[in-house]
Amino acid sequence: TTTTTKATTTTTTTVEASTAAAMTEVCVGRITNATNAACTCGGDCHTCLWGEGNVVGDCLMCKNSQFLHAGQCGPTCPSGYFQVPRGTFGSQCSPLSTGRVCTALEIETTGESCTCQANCWSCMHVGIPAECRVCKNGKSLFDGICVDTCPSGLVSIGLGLFNKTCGLLTTAAPTTTTTTSKASTTITTTTTTTSSTTSTTTSTTTSTTTSTTTTTTTST
């Protein structure tokens, strides 16, 4: 009798638990949406993911007119993105590839009707007015919006009613101009020219040589 024994090999795979806390709720303002527990997102974030152990996750909505990008709130958008302002809450950054340009109430590429924010002549458009590009009515462009007065340290650059922007205030080094006054004396000299005719008399002395011939007479 032959007995065959099969060896059974059991492979145990150990899955390491993630060190990051699970985001189980959303903190809205100061209360979580599921358990109504107290919470705070901090900074300029109004709504954020909320995890076990009161761990704050990515921001979902900014406040104080800050722009949401990659779960963070900031005053501007990075390169390749444009600002979509929505007032005090909900402003965000959108990729340039998702927007179209609205100028003078028309989408530039299609001719569709569109609108920009107040006092804006040309803006990015994503179904709603987004970041302004050119202001009108004498307003100045600052961070994608048209303002009456530029923030401290900035001045309005441009003339007329269109395309004014807020730029850095530069202070030129004082220039000292030294003006030297020299007394100028003008002397007027009147020259009287007397035309004198000088007659030069050239005396030509003619030397006359008198040749005396002596004639000697001889008497014979």
Side-chain angles (χ1 to χ4, degrees):
T1 302
T2 303
T3 304
T4 303
T5 304
K6 293 182 179 180
T8 302
T9 303
T10 303
T11 303
T12 303
T13 303
T14 302
V15 179
E16 295 184 359
S18 174
T19 55
M23 297 291 112
T24 57
E25 296 186 76
V26 174
C27 176
V28 182
R30 297 185 179 182
I31 298 177
T32 60
N33 64 333
T35 61
N36 293 326
C39 64
T40 178
C41 296
D44 293 311
C45 182
H46 177 267
T47 303
C48 63
L49 294 176
W50 189 259
E52 297 175 355
N54 298 336
V55 176
V56 178
D58 286 345
C59 187
L60 303 177
M61 179 186 291
C62 298
K63 59 183 179 180
N64 300 331
S65 300
Q66 300 296 292
F67 295 92
L68 179 67
H69 175 69
Q72 304 293 324
C73 299
T76 58
C77 294
S79 177
Y81 290 79
F82 65 93
Q83 299 171 2
V84 184
R86 291 192 171 98
T88 304
F89 294 90
S91 296
Q92 62 186 40
C93 298
S94 292
L96 285 173
S97 59
T98 65
R100 298 179 295 173
V101 177
C102 172
T103 301
L105 304 180
E106 287 188 357
I107 298 295
E108 290 186 355
T109 54
T110 65
E112 297 174 61
S113 297
C114 60
T115 58
C116 291
Q117 22 175 319
N119 300 310
C120 181
W121 170 256
S122 178
C123 66
M124 298 300 297
H125 207 273
V126 286
I128 61 171
E131 180 181 68
C132 187
R133 300 166 71 244
V134 177
C135 294
K136 61 182 180 179
N137 299 332
K139 309 302 181 183
S140 300
L141 182 66
F142 175 71
D143 277 352
I145 59 176
C146 300
V147 297
D148 294 319
T149 306
C150 294
S152 177
L154 300 178
V155 294
S156 180
I157 300 173
L159 299 173
L161 299 178
F162 285 85
N163 206 22
K164 297 173 70 174
T165 60
C166 292
L168 291 175
L169 175 63
T170 56
T171 304
T175 302
T176 303
T177 304
T178 304
T179 303
T180 304
S181 298
K182 294 183 179 181
S184 178
T185 303
T186 302
I187 300 174
T188 303
T189 304
T190 303
T191 305
T192 303
T193 304
T194 303
S195 178
S196 299
T197 302
T198 305
S199 298
T200 304
T201 303
T202 304
S203 298
T204 303
T205 304
T206 303
S207 179
T208 303
T209 305
T210 303
S211 179
T212 303
T213 303
T214 305
T215 303
T216 305
T217 302
T218 305
S219 298
T220 55

